[in-house]
Amino acid sequence: MGDPVPTVKFLGLTFNIANDLSVLLTCLIVFLAVFFLSRHIAMKPKGGQNVLEWLIEFTNGIVKGSIKGNDASHFGLYAFTLFLFIFIANQLGLFIHIQVGEYTYVKSPTADPIVTLTLSFMSVALAHAAGVQKKGMKGYLKEYTQPFAVFSVINIFEQFTDFLTLGLRLFGNIFAGEMLLVKVADLAKSNGWFGYVYSFPIELLWQGFSVFIGSIQAFVFVTLTSVYISQKVNDEE
Amino acid sequence: MLSHLIIGASGLYLGDMLFVGICFIVLMALIASVAWNPVVKMMSDRADKIANDIDSAQKSRLEASDLADQRRDALSHSHAEASDIVADAKQSGEKQRATIVSDAQNEAAQYKQNARKDIEQERQDALKNVQSDVADISVAIATKIIKKQLDPEGQQALINSYIEGLGKHES
């Protein structure tokens, strides 16, 4: 977790190499995992297919928990990919931390607000797009004046808070986790050999907890995404 | 340390956002083609198959119980049929016996009557024969007696008288 970030300017856009490499690595891991789990698909599932089907049932369960009716099936793939991506991204920084010189090149991509806010932006954009598609532009805009016209200010404001809290919650959890891991590692190095002895169980404990947090945050992110989609798609009762 | 986290401090990392977004969409497309579509299709196929199996099992069970009912009905029918057949056979046997007996009786009566008729005929014939025989014999006897007592003249006279008698008889 170095202070300076390796950046590259390309076509007038600034790229953070650390983020991009981490994202690419996460995508690669997710793809390879899914690829090898789905090699032998049969009517009678075994091995990898069972794992994959369990994961699909799990994310479908999250989606169906908040989105009612037929609409849920459209968002299964998004929820599945999102969950796997965030889960792997959260865990990535716990065991891989490649630092070259003063730059960190590979870490949890979700420990960067740009990445998490991009993910939350995608989720919120998908929710709005689904709302427009389901109810038409008129119905979609009408939702903002519910239950009274005055509420439209709060409703519009809510869209921004949804977007920000969704992204920043994930970022905060993972960033804090990584930061503490780095601090515990610094602690180990600071007191000679004895430092390694007492910081080992702390690091171990915190890593285990971070795995837990990373899983919970992936679950929470997907759950909130489907809740936001359901708010746009489902009829108000 | 947090300098790069403040959006705008080193410019909005629009490149990162684009990169993350594109990576995610490409990942989603790859997962869709490699795993999601086939697995979800297989899952729905399996659900269909299980539903079909349950339905067909239900159907087979109903068919089996129908068949069992049919067999049971057929069995009880066959009992009734068998007793019907036996009763019919008995009845027709009885009838046949009666006709045979009555035929035999009729025939016997016929034969008896025929025999009686034949006997009567025979008797009549025999009587007739006997009558003609008696006449012949008496004529023969008479001839013999007469032959002994008549000489040719006497015979001539007798013939003549007979012829005369014939003529008288004729006139």
Side-chain angles (χ1 to χ4, degrees), chain A residues 133-213:
Chain A
Q133 199 192 20
K134 178 85 187 291
K135 299 181 174 170
M137 189 51 89
K138 213 171 158 190
Y140 164 75
L141 289 176
K142 209 178 149 213
E143 289 287 315
Y144 287 102
T145 62
Q146 300 297 329
F148 316 110
V150 189
F151 266 67
S152 57
V153 179
I154 297 171
N155 282 333
I156 290 168
F157 189 69
E158 196 190 354
Q159 304 314 311
F160 292 100
T161 58
D162 279 354
F163 159 60
L164 283 173
T165 53
L166 186 62
L168 293 179
R169 176 185 303 107
L170 178 60
F171 155 68
N173 275 281
I174 305 308
F175 181 73
E178 289 216 337
M179 179 93 97
L180 202 57
L181 281 180
V182 171
K183 289 299 158 203
V184 172
D186 287 348
L187 183 69
K189 282 180 260 184
S190 61
N191 277 346
W193 65 271
F194 188 62
Y196 287 96
V197 174
Y198 65 72
S199 55
F200 178 74
I202 302 176
E203 187 85 344
L204 195 71
L205 204 69
W206 186 248
Q207 277 210 327
F209 193 55
S210 290
V211 170
F212 176 67
I213 288 176

Side-chain angles (χ1 to χ4, degrees), chain A residues 1 3 5 7 13-16 19-20 23 27 30-31 34-35 38-39 41-43 45 49 52-53 56-57 60 76-78 80-82 113-114 118 122 179, chain B residues 1-5 7 10-21 23-25 27-32 34-40 42-43 45-46 49:
Chain A
M1 191 133 305
D3 204 2
V5 286
T7 56
L13 300 169
T14 314
F15 288 91
N16 181 342
N19 278 350
D20 298 348
V23 166
C27 284
V30 170
F31 174 72
V34 168
F35 182 77
S38 64
R39 278 316 79 199
I41 292 172
M43 186 64 92
Q49 198 189 347
L52 208 57
E53 286 190 10
I56 289 173
E57 293 283 350
N60 275 354
L77 175 62
Y78 181 72
F80 179 70
T81 314
L82 196 64
I114 295 292
T118 307
M122 277 198 300
M179 179 93 97
Chain B
M1 169 157 201
L2 293 174
S3 66
H4 79 282
L5 300 179
I7 293 170
S10 45
L12 189 65
Y13 287 11
L14 207 58
D16 277 8
M17 295 190 78
L18 274 176
F19 187 80
V20 173
C23 274
F24 188 85
I25 288 166
L27 177 67
M28 199 156 88
L30 283 177
I31 286 181
V34 162
W36 180 267
N37 289 339
V39 171
V40 166
M42 187 54 71
M43 283 162 87
D45 281 358
R46 188 183 308 135
K49 187 183 171 334

Side-chain angles (χ1 to χ4, degrees), chain B residues 89-105:
Chain B
K90 235 181 237 173
Q91 214 172 345
S92 74
E94 199 76 30
K95 214 182 266 173
Q96 216 163 342
R97 195 175 70 91
T99 38
I100 288 169
V101 166
S102 71
D103 278 2
Q105 272 171 351

Side-chain angles (χ1 to χ4, degrees), chain B residues 30 47-48 77 85 94 121 138 171:
Chain B
L30 283 177
D48 286 355
H77 274 195
I85 288 169
E94 199 76 30
Q121 188 73 38
S138 50
S171 61

